[in-house]
Amino acid sequence: MTVQRDEDPATAPTCWCCGKEHPEARLVRLGAHPEVGVCLDCARWLHRRARQREDEHRSGLGPRLRASIDAVRATVIRRGWHERGVLGALLRRIDRRLP
Ligand SMILES: [Zn+2]
């Protein structure tokens, strides 16, 4: 699918979720609305939100494990540990590999 845009080539496209500028290679476009681009970090966040919604109607070890990981993630973010130098970089790197 080719997307026609009336953008200033000097400015990078903007994520429709977080509002930050990203290169086109770091955006995911919606199928029915290719004018909407979401950055990879926000796409990951949306995926997790969708999975949380699905888990609300499931039981078992998987949903409980993911809920525990989500609780730890929320604590890390609430305390700002993800923004602390080397520790933050390590936590963000680990988070990219978690469900
Ligand atoms: Zn974003």
mmCIF file of all heavy atoms in Angstrom, residues 20-57:
data_model
loop_
_atom_site.group_PDB
_atom_site.id
_atom_site.type_symbol
_atom_site.label_atom_id
_atom_site.label_comp_id
_atom_site.label_asym_id
_atom_site.label_seq_id
_atom_site.Cartn_x
_atom_site.Cartn_y
_atom_site.Cartn_z
ATOM 1 N N LYS A 20 5.269 12.326 19.615
ATOM 2 C CA LYS A 20 6.685 12.576 19.338
ATOM 3 C C LYS A 20 6.982 12.312 17.870
ATOM 4 O O LYS A 20 6.321 11.507 17.227
ATOM 5 C CB LYS A 20 7.562 11.665 20.196
ATOM 6 C CG LYS A 20 7.433 11.932 21.678
ATOM 7 C CD LYS A 20 8.260 10.944 22.466
ATOM 8 C CE LYS A 20 8.060 11.141 23.958
ATOM 9 N NZ LYS A 20 8.700 10.055 24.738
ATOM 10 N N GLU A 21 8.020 13.000 17.361
ATOM 11 C CA GLU A 21 8.455 12.784 15.984
ATOM 12 C C GLU A 21 9.313 11.528 15.914
ATOM 13 O O GLU A 21 10.125 11.269 16.818
ATOM 14 C CB GLU A 21 9.255 13.983 15.484
ATOM 15 C CG GLU A 21 8.420 15.222 15.274
ATOM 16 C CD GLU A 21 9.228 16.366 14.690
ATOM 17 O OE1 GLU A 21 10.455 16.226 14.499
ATOM 18 O OE2 GLU A 21 8.623 17.413 14.417
ATOM 19 N N HIS A 22 9.114 10.742 14.851
ATOM 20 C CA HIS A 22 9.881 9.515 14.620
ATOM 21 C C HIS A 22 10.150 9.380 13.126
ATOM 22 O O HIS A 22 9.327 9.799 12.313
ATOM 23 C CB HIS A 22 9.080 8.278 15.064
ATOM 24 C CG HIS A 22 8.838 8.220 16.538
ATOM 25 N ND1 HIS A 22 9.740 7.701 17.413
ATOM 26 C CD2 HIS A 22 7.790 8.642 17.285
ATOM 27 C CE1 HIS A 22 9.261 7.784 18.645
ATOM 28 N NE2 HIS A 22 8.079 8.360 18.594
ATOM 29 N N PRO A 23 11.264 8.754 12.757
ATOM 30 C CA PRO A 23 11.464 8.449 11.338
ATOM 31 C C PRO A 23 10.405 7.455 10.880
ATOM 32 O O PRO A 23 9.904 6.660 11.682
ATOM 33 C CB PRO A 23 12.867 7.840 11.291
ATOM 34 C CG PRO A 23 13.258 7.566 12.689
ATOM 35 C CD PRO A 23 12.364 8.332 13.600
ATOM 36 N N GLU A 24 10.076 7.502 9.605
ATOM 37 C CA GLU A 24 9.024 6.642 9.061
ATOM 38 C C GLU A 24 9.281 5.163 9.370
ATOM 39 O O GLU A 24 8.345 4.402 9.614
ATOM 40 C CB GLU A 24 8.909 6.863 7.546
ATOM 41 C CG GLU A 24 7.773 6.124 6.892
ATOM 42 C CD GLU A 24 6.383 6.546 7.403
ATOM 43 O OE1 GLU A 24 6.188 7.735 7.724
ATOM 44 O OE2 GLU A 24 5.508 5.674 7.477
ATOM 45 N N ALA A 25 10.551 4.773 9.394
ATOM 46 C CA ALA A 25 10.887 3.367 9.652
ATOM 47 C C ALA A 25 10.500 2.935 11.063
ATOM 48 O O ALA A 25 10.424 1.746 11.337
ATOM 49 C CB ALA A 25 12.380 3.141 9.436
ATOM 50 N N ARG A 26 10.258 3.877 11.965
ATOM 51 C CA ARG A 26 9.898 3.541 13.348
ATOM 52 C C ARG A 26 8.410 3.733 13.603
ATOM 53 O O ARG A 26 7.971 3.799 14.743
ATOM 54 C CB ARG A 26 10.714 4.365 14.331
ATOM 55 C CG ARG A 26 12.190 4.112 14.173
ATOM 56 C CD ARG A 26 13.001 3.932 15.424
ATOM 57 N NE ARG A 26 12.330 3.785 16.673
ATOM 58 C CZ ARG A 26 12.355 2.659 17.401
ATOM 59 N NH1 ARG A 26 12.979 1.600 16.950
ATOM 60 N NH2 ARG A 26 11.754 2.614 18.561
ATOM 61 N N LEU A 27 7.623 3.838 12.528
ATOM 62 C CA LEU A 27 6.174 3.984 12.670
ATOM 63 C C LEU A 27 5.464 2.784 12.067
ATOM 64 O O LEU A 27 5.931 2.196 11.100
ATOM 65 C CB LEU A 27 5.677 5.249 11.970
ATOM 66 C CG LEU A 27 6.063 6.588 12.573
ATOM 67 C CD1 LEU A 27 5.497 7.713 11.709
ATOM 68 C CD2 LEU A 27 5.569 6.729 13.995
ATOM 69 N N VAL A 28 4.315 2.430 12.638
ATOM 70 C CA VAL A 28 3.428 1.400 12.099
ATOM 71 C C VAL A 28 2.162 2.123 11.667
ATOM 72 O O VAL A 28 1.606 2.914 12.428
ATOM 73 C CB VAL A 28 3.104 0.340 13.179
ATOM 74 C CG1 VAL A 28 2.147 -0.689 12.642
ATOM 75 C CG2 VAL A 28 4.373 -0.307 13.694
ATOM 76 N N ARG A 29 1.728 1.863 10.436
ATOM 77 C CA ARG A 29 0.539 2.537 9.900
ATOM 78 C C ARG A 29 -0.687 1.641 10.035
ATOM 79 O O ARG A 29 -0.594 0.425 9.883
ATOM 80 C CB ARG A 29 0.768 2.880 8.425
ATOM 81 C CG ARG A 29 1.927 3.808 8.190
ATOM 82 C CD ARG A 29 1.500 5.218 8.336
ATOM 83 N NE ARG A 29 2.646 6.130 8.263
ATOM 84 C CZ ARG A 29 2.539 7.405 8.568
ATOM 85 N NH1 ARG A 29 1.385 7.915 8.938
ATOM 86 N NH2 ARG A 29 3.580 8.175 8.515
ATOM 87 N N LEU A 30 -1.839 2.252 10.308
ATOM 88 C CA LEU A 30 -3.081 1.500 10.396
ATOM 89 C C LEU A 30 -3.533 1.108 8.999
ATOM 90 O O LEU A 30 -3.394 1.894 8.053
ATOM 91 C CB LEU A 30 -4.176 2.327 11.077
ATOM 92 C CG LEU A 30 -3.901 2.784 12.508
ATOM 93 C CD1 LEU A 30 -5.136 3.473 13.069
ATOM 94 C CD2 LEU A 30 -3.483 1.634 13.386
ATOM 95 N N GLY A 31 -4.113 -0.090 8.890
ATOM 96 C CA GLY A 31 -4.500 -0.610 7.585
ATOM 97 C C GLY A 31 -5.553 0.232 6.891
ATOM 98 O O GLY A 31 -5.368 0.646 5.745
ATOM 99 N N ALA A 32 -6.673 0.516 7.541
ATOM 100 C CA ALA A 32 -7.764 1.259 6.914
ATOM 101 C C ALA A 32 -7.539 2.771 6.954
ATOM 102 O O ALA A 32 -8.225 3.513 6.251
ATOM 103 C CB ALA A 32 -9.087 0.923 7.602
ATOM 104 N N HIS A 33 -6.602 3.218 7.774
ATOM 105 C CA HIS A 33 -6.291 4.646 7.903
ATOM 106 C C HIS A 33 -4.778 4.832 7.883
ATOM 107 O O HIS A 33 -4.160 5.101 8.914
ATOM 108 C CB HIS A 33 -6.880 5.223 9.196
ATOM 109 C CG HIS A 33 -8.360 5.227 9.219
ATOM 110 N ND1 HIS A 33 -9.106 6.209 8.626
ATOM 111 C CD2 HIS A 33 -9.246 4.331 9.720
ATOM 112 C CE1 HIS A 33 -10.385 5.946 8.777
ATOM 113 N NE2 HIS A 33 -10.498 4.800 9.445
ATOM 114 N N PRO A 34 -4.157 4.716 6.704
ATOM 115 C CA PRO A 34 -2.698 4.803 6.633
ATOM 116 C C PRO A 34 -2.151 6.180 7.012
ATOM 117 O O PRO A 34 -0.945 6.324 7.221
ATOM 118 C CB PRO A 34 -2.390 4.455 5.173
ATOM 119 C CG PRO A 34 -3.651 4.658 4.442
ATOM 120 C CD PRO A 34 -4.767 4.437 5.413
ATOM 121 N N GLU A 35 -3.014 7.166 7.116
ATOM 122 C CA GLU A 35 -2.540 8.487 7.563
ATOM 123 C C GLU A 35 -2.182 8.471 9.052
ATOM 124 O O GLU A 35 -1.505 9.362 9.543
ATOM 125 C CB GLU A 35 -3.601 9.570 7.276
ATOM 126 C CG GLU A 35 -4.834 9.535 8.143
ATOM 127 C CD GLU A 35 -5.890 8.527 7.680
ATOM 128 O OE1 GLU A 35 -5.600 7.689 6.808
ATOM 129 O OE2 GLU A 35 -7.011 8.578 8.211
ATOM 130 N N VAL A 36 -2.652 7.435 9.756
ATOM 131 C CA VAL A 36 -2.378 7.310 11.186
ATOM 132 C C VAL A 36 -1.149 6.434 11.377
ATOM 133 O O VAL A 36 -1.131 5.277 10.968
ATOM 134 C CB VAL A 36 -3.584 6.700 11.941
ATOM 135 C CG1 VAL A 36 -3.242 6.499 13.414
ATOM 136 C CG2 VAL A 36 -4.807 7.575 11.770
ATOM 137 N N GLY A 37 -0.122 6.995 11.998
ATOM 138 C CA GLY A 37 1.093 6.258 12.313
ATOM 139 C C GLY A 37 1.325 6.220 13.811
ATOM 140 O O GLY A 37 1.102 7.206 14.505
ATOM 141 N N VAL A 38 1.716 5.062 14.296
ATOM 142 C CA VAL A 38 2.001 4.887 15.723
ATOM 143 C C VAL A 38 3.437 4.402 15.838
ATOM 144 O O VAL A 38 3.851 3.494 15.102
ATOM 145 C CB VAL A 38 1.030 3.862 16.352
ATOM 146 C CG1 VAL A 38 1.332 3.658 17.825
ATOM 147 C CG2 VAL A 38 -0.416 4.302 16.165
ATOM 148 N N CYS A 39 4.215 4.998 16.745
ATOM 149 C CA CYS A 39 5.612 4.590 16.897
ATOM 150 C C CYS A 39 5.693 3.175 17.478
ATOM 151 O O CYS A 39 4.712 2.659 18.025
ATOM 152 C CB CYS A 39 6.387 5.588 17.762
ATOM 153 S SG CYS A 39 6.044 5.522 19.517
ATOM 154 N N LEU A 40 6.865 2.577 17.366
ATOM 155 C CA LEU A 40 7.022 1.190 17.799
ATOM 156 C C LEU A 40 6.786 1.042 19.295
ATOM 157 O O LEU A 40 6.204 0.044 19.739
ATOM 158 C CB LEU A 40 8.404 0.672 17.413
ATOM 159 C CG LEU A 40 8.694 0.647 15.910
ATOM 160 C CD1 LEU A 40 10.080 0.074 15.655
ATOM 161 C CD2 LEU A 40 7.635 -0.129 15.146
ATOM 162 N N ASP A 41 7.225 2.018 20.098
ATOM 163 C CA ASP A 41 6.990 1.936 21.543
ATOM 164 C C ASP A 41 5.492 1.989 21.851
ATOM 165 O O ASP A 41 5.000 1.229 22.689
ATOM 166 C CB ASP A 41 7.708 3.074 22.279
ATOM 167 C CG ASP A 41 9.216 2.887 22.287
ATOM 168 O OD1 ASP A 41 9.679 1.739 22.117
ATOM 169 O OD2 ASP A 41 9.922 3.892 22.460
ATOM 170 N N CYS A 42 4.771 2.867 21.196
ATOM 171 C CA CYS A 42 3.330 2.961 21.437
ATOM 172 C C CYS A 42 2.610 1.725 20.889
ATOM 173 O O CYS A 42 1.632 1.273 21.486
ATOM 174 C CB CYS A 42 2.763 4.241 20.820
ATOM 175 S SG CYS A 42 3.287 5.721 21.724
ATOM 176 N N ALA A 43 3.080 1.187 19.765
ATOM 177 C CA ALA A 43 2.489 -0.047 19.237
ATOM 178 C C ALA A 43 2.656 -1.178 20.232
ATOM 179 O O ALA A 43 1.730 -1.973 20.451
ATOM 180 C CB ALA A 43 3.129 -0.410 17.894
ATOM 181 N N ARG A 44 3.825 -1.248 20.881
ATOM 182 C CA ARG A 44 4.060 -2.263 21.920
ATOM 183 C C ARG A 44 3.108 -2.035 23.092
ATOM 184 O O ARG A 44 2.514 -2.971 23.619
ATOM 185 C CB ARG A 44 5.518 -2.194 22.375
ATOM 186 C CG ARG A 44 5.939 -3.304 23.316
ATOM 187 C CD ARG A 44 7.420 -3.241 23.669
ATOM 188 N NE ARG A 44 8.260 -3.379 22.491
ATOM 189 C CZ ARG A 44 9.017 -2.406 21.973
ATOM 190 N NH1 ARG A 44 9.044 -1.235 22.535
ATOM 191 N NH2 ARG A 44 9.731 -2.612 20.901
ATOM 192 N N TRP A 45 2.929 -0.792 23.481
ATOM 193 C CA TRP A 45 2.019 -0.449 24.577
ATOM 194 C C TRP A 45 0.580 -0.838 24.219
ATOM 195 O O TRP A 45 -0.133 -1.426 25.045
ATOM 196 C CB TRP A 45 2.119 1.057 24.872
ATOM 197 C CG TRP A 45 1.236 1.514 25.972
ATOM 198 C CD1 TRP A 45 1.454 1.410 27.316
ATOM 199 C CD2 TRP A 45 -0.028 2.163 25.821
ATOM 200 N NE1 TRP A 45 0.395 1.944 27.996
ATOM 201 C CE2 TRP A 45 -0.519 2.413 27.109
ATOM 202 C CE3 TRP A 45 -0.792 2.549 24.712
ATOM 203 C CZ2 TRP A 45 -1.745 3.049 27.328
ATOM 204 C CZ3 TRP A 45 -2.004 3.165 24.933
ATOM 205 C CH2 TRP A 45 -2.470 3.410 26.228
ATOM 206 N N LEU A 46 0.174 -0.541 22.988
ATOM 207 C CA LEU A 46 -1.175 -0.907 22.556
ATOM 208 C C LEU A 46 -1.359 -2.424 22.553
ATOM 209 O O LEU A 46 -2.413 -2.935 22.942
ATOM 210 C CB LEU A 46 -1.458 -0.342 21.163
ATOM 211 C CG LEU A 46 -1.687 1.159 21.108
ATOM 212 C CD1 LEU A 46 -1.665 1.647 19.658
ATOM 213 C CD2 LEU A 46 -3.004 1.522 21.764
ATOM 214 N N HIS A 47 -0.330 -3.140 22.115
ATOM 215 C CA HIS A 47 -0.390 -4.599 22.125
ATOM 216 C C HIS A 47 -0.594 -5.114 23.546
ATOM 217 O O HIS A 47 -1.407 -6.004 23.790
ATOM 218 C CB HIS A 47 0.879 -5.191 21.506
ATOM 219 C CG HIS A 47 0.940 -6.667 21.587
ATOM 220 N ND1 HIS A 47 1.673 -7.321 22.545
ATOM 221 C CD2 HIS A 47 0.333 -7.640 20.874
ATOM 222 C CE1 HIS A 47 1.515 -8.630 22.397
ATOM 223 N NE2 HIS A 47 0.707 -8.840 21.385
ATOM 224 N N ARG A 48 0.134 -4.540 24.486
ATOM 225 C CA ARG A 48 -0.009 -4.968 25.885
ATOM 226 C C ARG A 48 -1.396 -4.647 26.418
ATOM 227 O O ARG A 48 -1.977 -5.428 27.169
ATOM 228 C CB ARG A 48 1.065 -4.315 26.747
ATOM 229 C CG ARG A 48 2.421 -4.930 26.507
ATOM 230 C CD ARG A 48 3.487 -4.248 27.302
ATOM 231 N NE ARG A 48 4.761 -4.918 27.095
ATOM 232 C CZ ARG A 48 5.929 -4.366 27.326
ATOM 233 N NH1 ARG A 48 5.999 -3.137 27.770
ATOM 234 N NH2 ARG A 48 7.024 -5.046 27.120
ATOM 235 N N ARG A 49 -1.924 -3.494 26.051
ATOM 236 C CA ARG A 49 -3.288 -3.140 26.478
ATOM 237 C C ARG A 49 -4.300 -4.123 25.912
ATOM 238 O O ARG A 49 -5.231 -4.536 26.603
ATOM 239 C CB ARG A 49 -3.635 -1.709 26.034
ATOM 240 C CG ARG A 49 -2.788 -0.623 26.650
ATOM 241 C CD ARG A 49 -3.267 -0.247 27.987
ATOM 242 N NE ARG A 49 -4.666 0.159 27.858
ATOM 243 C CZ ARG A 49 -5.355 0.789 28.771
ATOM 244 N NH1 ARG A 49 -4.796 1.099 29.882
ATOM 245 N NH2 ARG A 49 -6.614 1.102 28.581
ATOM 246 N N ALA A 50 -4.153 -4.505 24.655
ATOM 247 C CA ALA A 50 -5.054 -5.480 24.034
ATOM 248 C C ALA A 50 -4.948 -6.832 24.741
ATOM 249 O O ALA A 50 -5.959 -7.483 25.022
ATOM 250 C CB ALA A 50 -4.725 -5.619 22.548
ATOM 251 N N ARG A 51 -3.727 -7.234 25.060
ATOM 252 C CA ARG A 51 -3.527 -8.498 25.749
ATOM 253 C C ARG A 51 -4.149 -8.458 27.154
ATOM 254 O O ARG A 51 -4.773 -9.399 27.604
ATOM 255 C CB ARG A 51 -2.029 -8.823 25.835
ATOM 256 C CG ARG A 51 -1.772 -10.230 26.284
ATOM 257 C CD ARG A 51 -0.789 -10.400 27.426
ATOM 258 N NE ARG A 51 0.176 -9.341 27.590
ATOM 259 C CZ ARG A 51 0.246 -8.620 28.710
ATOM 260 N NH1 ARG A 51 -0.572 -8.821 29.695
ATOM 261 N NH2 ARG A 51 1.145 -7.688 28.836
ATOM 262 N N GLN A 52 -4.022 -7.312 27.851
ATOM 263 C CA GLN A 52 -4.637 -7.181 29.168
ATOM 264 C C GLN A 52 -6.153 -7.340 29.067
ATOM 265 O O GLN A 52 -6.766 -7.978 29.915
ATOM 266 C CB GLN A 52 -4.306 -5.818 29.791
ATOM 267 C CG GLN A 52 -2.873 -5.713 30.261
ATOM 268 C CD GLN A 52 -2.499 -4.291 30.654
ATOM 269 O OE1 GLN A 52 -3.194 -3.328 30.320
ATOM 270 N NE2 GLN A 52 -1.378 -4.150 31.335
ATOM 271 N N ARG A 53 -6.737 -6.750 28.014
ATOM 272 C CA ARG A 53 -8.190 -6.889 27.828
ATOM 273 C C ARG A 53 -8.585 -8.343 27.609
ATOM 274 O O ARG A 53 -9.565 -8.825 28.163
ATOM 275 C CB ARG A 53 -8.659 -6.060 26.628
ATOM 276 C CG ARG A 53 -8.679 -4.584 26.869
ATOM 277 C CD ARG A 53 -9.913 -4.210 27.673
ATOM 278 N NE ARG A 53 -9.921 -2.828 28.075
ATOM 279 C CZ ARG A 53 -10.460 -1.843 27.354
ATOM 280 N NH1 ARG A 53 -11.051 -2.117 26.229
ATOM 281 N NH2 ARG A 53 -10.419 -0.619 27.782
ATOM 282 N N GLU A 54 -7.788 -9.048 26.800
ATOM 283 C CA GLU A 54 -8.070 -10.467 26.564
ATOM 284 C C GLU A 54 -7.909 -11.268 27.848
ATOM 285 O O GLU A 54 -8.717 -12.155 28.137
ATOM 286 C CB GLU A 54 -7.131 -11.023 25.490
ATOM 287 C CG GLU A 54 -7.423 -10.521 24.108
ATOM 288 C CD GLU A 54 -6.410 -11.004 23.087
ATOM 289 O OE1 GLU A 54 -5.313 -11.456 23.475
ATOM 290 O OE2 GLU A 54 -6.735 -10.907 21.893
ATOM 291 N N ASP A 55 -6.877 -10.959 28.626
ATOM 292 C CA ASP A 55 -6.621 -11.703 29.864
ATOM 293 C C ASP A 55 -7.709 -11.493 30.907
ATOM 294 O O ASP A 55 -7.852 -12.322 31.811
ATOM 295 C CB ASP A 55 -5.257 -11.315 30.450
ATOM 296 C CG ASP A 55 -4.094 -11.970 29.718
ATOM 297 O OD1 ASP A 55 -4.354 -12.844 28.858
ATOM 298 O OD2 ASP A 55 -2.939 -11.609 30.001
ATOM 299 N N GLU A 56 -8.441 -10.387 30.808
ATOM 300 C CA GLU A 56 -9.521 -10.149 31.773
ATOM 301 C C GLU A 56 -10.569 -11.259 31.729
ATOM 302 O O GLU A 56 -11.286 -11.456 32.698
ATOM 303 C CB GLU A 56 -10.197 -8.802 31.493
ATOM 304 C CG GLU A 56 -9.326 -7.606 31.824
ATOM 305 C CD GLU A 56 -9.931 -6.285 31.362
ATOM 306 O OE1 GLU A 56 -11.069 -6.291 30.834
ATOM 307 O OE2 GLU A 56 -9.265 -5.256 31.525
ATOM 308 N N HIS A 57 -10.638 -11.953 30.615
ATOM 309 C CA HIS A 57 -11.654 -13.003 30.445
ATOM 310 C C HIS A 57 -11.032 -14.391 30.464
ATOM 311 O O HIS A 57 -11.686 -15.349 30.077
ATOM 312 C CB HIS A 57 -12.415 -12.783 29.136
ATOM 313 C CG HIS A 57 -13.004 -11.414 29.039
ATOM 314 N ND1 HIS A 57 -14.084 -11.014 29.777
ATOM 315 C CD2 HIS A 57 -12.616 -10.331 28.326
ATOM 316 C CE1 HIS A 57 -14.360 -9.750 29.519
ATOM 317 N NE2 HIS A 57 -13.482 -9.312 28.634
#
